[in-house]
Amino acid sequence: MRKIRQLKIFNLKKNKSMNYSTIKTAVACSLVAALGLTETVQAQEPTVFGGRRQYRTWSIGVNGGFTTPSVIIGGSNALNYKVGFGEYKLREYYGITVRKQLSSWFGLEAAGNRGRIFAFNQQPNPAGTVNPWNGASFESAETSVQYAASLNGVFQLATIDFLRRENAVNFYASVGYGVMAFNPVQYSDKEGNTVSFDNKGNWGEEYPGERNLTTDRDFKRETYIPVGVGVKFKLSDRVALNLGYTMNFVDDKALFGPVANRSANDKFSYTYAGLEFSLGSSSKPDLTWHNPVSTLYDELKDPSLRNELEALKQRVSTLEGLVDELSRDEDGDGVSDKFDKCPGTPAGTQVDGAGCPIKFPEPKVQESATYPNIQFEFDSSVLKTESYSILDRLSSDLRESGASVTLDGHASAEGSEAYNLNLSRDRANSVKQYLVNSGVDAAKINVQAFGESAPIASNATEEGRVLNRRVEIKR
């Protein structure tokens, strides 16, 4: 058979299968939901479980293993490759990972791999049929993967602690989305003759959507979805052993060579073992192996914490007793019994800061030598009609003698001091206005406001407050 030097790939339309589109949508939704839930849980995570900053959250891993052109859930590849293990020729595959643990159950992992995949064609094209590969019928194919890079969400499903309250075995699942570059490099015909093939420099389809054949690429690039499960064993505080299995669903039918009239996309699996190394300060534990229940148990079991809690309870009890004692007021006068020097004061009695009744001087109606005080209603500066005769007599005396007079306005103690000061001034001005209207020279009348500052009777009784609502006439 002649050696094939250059082969040009058919410019075939790619009909995306419903299964791949469904998987891709589910992967995107699950990663977004996991990130949102992780942030919510982490924000609400109590301090007793340890916030994310108290743990090592970065790790790097290396892995290696072998590939097969099938997955455990079944399904066929584009060329209907044989799935019997006896037909497999295992090929090497290896990679590196970098992971950020976002919580005790979820992390984001960037993975990169490369290697080879071998496939055996179960149903080679019959003699005389047209095959995309130069009309030949092939029994096997080997594909070189230059790189496969993906971003994966890693879900920690369960842990085993072997009664030590320290997680030692971790079961996990992962799902992601990535891009890979590959090139089928060798085929054999059904008679067993080897046909070497290297299509580097002849690929041209480019992700994500350029479908024009340019024949200037060494590798074909296409997206894929890795879905895997695994188990992790804690070897030390820094190192863990990883054993895993990943199914890779490729959004393409040419992983093992171009084909025509097939709807199935290609897929392959990767079985591996690897080591993972935790990064960060040695003083912090690894969040991957974090056990919230154990942490809570240890803190509650800690004798120092229990003693501190009991001491706090005692201090609170003592403080509550002191508050009860300070708030006790049997006579209801507003002064605590602890500071009340006059216990048993009758209800409603005005008392001073020591709890003793305030003694007010007996009410006295203060008058000037000739004129009684002008009284006012509550919160009013309007003159009463019974005051007119007094003011008429005062007006007549002032007009005849030409003397001056001082009007002192006062108020009872209801309301604020500022309000009562203005009210007392208004009352004095009401008297002044009456006198001016009756012919008294305004320059002969002086007005003063004292508000509630100069009572002549107790403001504790209505009788006393009535007397305090006044204007005093002083000549």
Side-chain angles (χ1 to χ4, degrees), residues 72-97:
I72 60 174
I73 62 174
S76 63
N77 280 308
L79 288 180
N80 196 22
Y81 293 102
K82 199 171 185 67
V83 296
F85 186 80
E87 303 292 344
Y88 289 160
K89 291 183 180 180
L90 305 181
R91 290 295 184 264
E92 77 282 355
Y93 207 68
Y94 50 91
I96 187 171
T97 60

Side-chain angles (χ1 to χ4, degrees), residues 201-404:
N202 295 313
W203 295 103
E205 290 181 307
E206 192 66 29
Y207 178 79
E210 180 186 337
R211 300 305 178 193
N212 296 322
L213 189 64
T214 58
T215 65
D216 62 354
R217 308 276 184 185
D218 288 344
F219 291 87
K220 180 174 177 58
R221 289 194 296 178
E222 195 51 82
T223 59
Y224 74 105
I225 292 177
V227 180
V229 293
V231 59
K232 187 181 303 182
F233 300 89
K234 186 177 182 181
L235 303 181
S236 70
D237 188 52
R238 288 284 187 178
V239 183
L241 172 64
N242 259 351
L243 302 178
Y245 175 82
T246 301
M247 300 178 293
N248 298 278
F249 300 90
V250 184
D251 187 21
D252 197 76
K253 303 178 184 66
L255 182 63
F256 307 108
V259 295
N261 301 323
R262 289 301 303 270
S263 60
N265 287 329
D266 288 327
K267 57 186 75 67
F268 70 97
S269 62
Y270 173 40
T271 304
Y272 63 89
L275 294 176
E276 184 174 289
F277 303 91
S278 175
L279 306 177
S281 173
S282 300
S283 62
K284 297 180 179 181
D286 190 347
L287 183 57
T288 304
W289 303 99
H290 174 49
N291 188 334
V293 177
S294 172
T295 303
L296 179 61
Y297 176 82
D298 288 342
E299 294 195 1
L300 294 179
K301 187 180 177 182
D302 187 356
S304 61
L305 181 62
R306 187 185 303 111
N307 293 338
E308 183 178 346
L309 182 60
E310 291 299 326
L312 181 60
K313 288 181 178 179
Q314 185 61 38
R315 289 197 296 271
V316 170
S317 178
T318 302
L319 187 59
E320 287 177 345
L322 180 59
V323 170
D324 290 340
E325 182 180 356
L326 291 176
S327 61
R328 190 179 299 113
D329 181 16
E330 292 185 357
D331 56 9
D333 60 1
V335 180
S336 170
D337 291 348
K338 186 174 181 64
F339 304 105
D340 196 342
K341 295 182 179 180
C342 301
T345 305
T349 304
Q350 281 193 304
V351 298
D352 56 19
C356 295
I358 300 175
K359 295 181 179 179
F360 294 98
E362 290 297 326
K364 293 182 179 179
V365 179
Q366 294 185 355
E367 300 181 1
S368 64
T370 308
Y371 305 100
N373 294 337
I374 306 300
Q375 304 295 140
F376 291 83
E377 295 292 340
F378 169 73
D379 195 23
S380 175
S381 60
V382 179
L383 292 171
K384 295 181 178 181
T385 56
E386 55 261 39
S387 301
Y388 294 165
S389 60
I390 300 173
L391 297 178
D392 290 338
R393 183 160 55 91
L394 175 61
S395 174
S396 177
D397 291 345
L398 292 175
R399 284 185 279 109
E400 290 179 1
S401 62
S404 298

Side-chain angles (χ1 to χ4, degrees), residues 1 4 15-16 54 63 120 172 271 291 299 308 312 335 381 407 409 462 464:
M1 273 214 142
I4 302 175
N15 296 321
K16 308 279 185 182
Q54 302 179 28
N63 55 77
F120 182 85
Y172 63 90
T271 304
N291 188 334
E299 294 195 1
E308 183 178 346
L312 181 60
V335 180
S381 60
L407 305 176
E462 182 58 23

